[in-house]
């Protein structure tokens, strides 16, 4: 977050529109992942961090929280798939 | 969150529409659970984590927080069941 | 959150409509409590956790946060009691 | 949050409408305080917790966060005092 | 948060309207600061806390979070400066 | 957050409008960074903090959370690029 130029690949998220809530949830997870990737672009370091948080309930809940926020955005973009 | 391809099962959430707020709350919990499942697909590890967080007030509050965010989404999708 | 079937009692929240903001705030607290209850259905364990968080400022603030999120939902459902 | 019947005094918040953003911010703080009070109704315990969090940056930031969420609600209720 | 009467100075925030997003962001920071000031009115204590959080990434991120929530409010108040 | 006058550079964010969601995500990250910069204007201290949080899953998740909140704002400003 403190870097001058975190990188978000062009075309990583061409649209927020998805066909179903399931796909919307997958997109919400992708958005969370893209933010992490932009802040920590080194794939090896991200990989190294994985075992820790994936077996830690606190961190899984924290990720679920981020996904929930992104899902709000995606759901609104899709007018809640009504 | 750092995985390339977290999995959300197709048809896990076919719609955000529910009949009642009660059902909406249950869906909000389900959405939180699906995000966790996508990030940690291994059911055995998830099961192993359970006793810890279920008896930890901090984590129960954190889960309640995630559910509250998802419930906002579900409630909006249902126009607040008005 | 990781359980397959957290339980939300039918009729626990028949409506999000309340007469006053006070009642809305009470409902927001109830929603937070129902989420906790769904994740940890054992009343004895919940009771055992109580003394800890009730005398811990960090946790009281965290609960107040969850209530604030739920209150947003309830307030929107009531068009802010305008 | 785990109590059966947290108490919110009737008439504690008769309306979300305020004349100015300043008053709205004060109301947002009040809403945070009412939630804490409902969960921990014992004034002596709340008083005892005060010196700790009031000199702890982490907790002051956490409170500011809760107030920010409530302020969103109050601001929306007042159509942003436009 | 637990005090009976946190103080928000009248005229501290006469309006949420700003000319640009930059000014909106500055206002969002101000709102976060006012909440802290209301809860901890003693300027000396606030000053004493400063070196700690300003060199602590976790707390800087937490502050950025609060600012983000306030910025949502300010941006909505300004119809996103469109 | 406790400083009297955190600085946000004029023209740092002239508009919230972006052409694509990708650019919106980059702007959301920029907003988070600007808030940190306003609270901790010393570039050397920010640089010193970097190695710590960039290899800490908890902090990366926390940053992703802030970005998600800002992305909500940016997405709404762009009517979700529909």
């Amino acid at each position: 977050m403190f870097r001058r130029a975190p990188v978000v690949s062009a075309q990583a998220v061409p649209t927020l529109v998805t066909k179903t809530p399931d796909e919307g949830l997958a997109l919400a997870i992708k958005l969370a992942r893209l933010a992490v990737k932009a802040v920590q672009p080194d794939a090896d370091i991200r990989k190294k961090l994985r075992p820790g948080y994936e077996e830690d309930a606190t961190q899984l809940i924290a990720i679920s929280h981020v996904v929930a926020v992104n899902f709000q955005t995606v759901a609104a973009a899709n007018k809640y798939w009504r």
Side-chain angles (χ1 to χ4, degrees), chain A residues 5-46:
Chain A
V7 179
V8 178
S9 314
Q11 300 298 320
V13 187
T15 177
L16 296 184
V17 176
T18 71
K19 260 178 270 167
T20 62
D22 297 312
E23 287 178 24
L25 192 56
L27 178 53
I29 295 170
K30 186 182 185 180
L31 287 165
R33 193 163 50 81
L34 285 171
V36 168
K37 201 176 159 187
V39 176
Q40 177 45 276
D42 185 326
D44 289 333
I45 295 178
R46 292 201 309 273

Side-chain angles (χ1 to χ4, degrees), chain A residues 2 27 33 47 50:
Chain A
F2 309 173
L27 178 53
R33 193 163 50 81
K47 205 174 170 181
R50 212 176 283 166

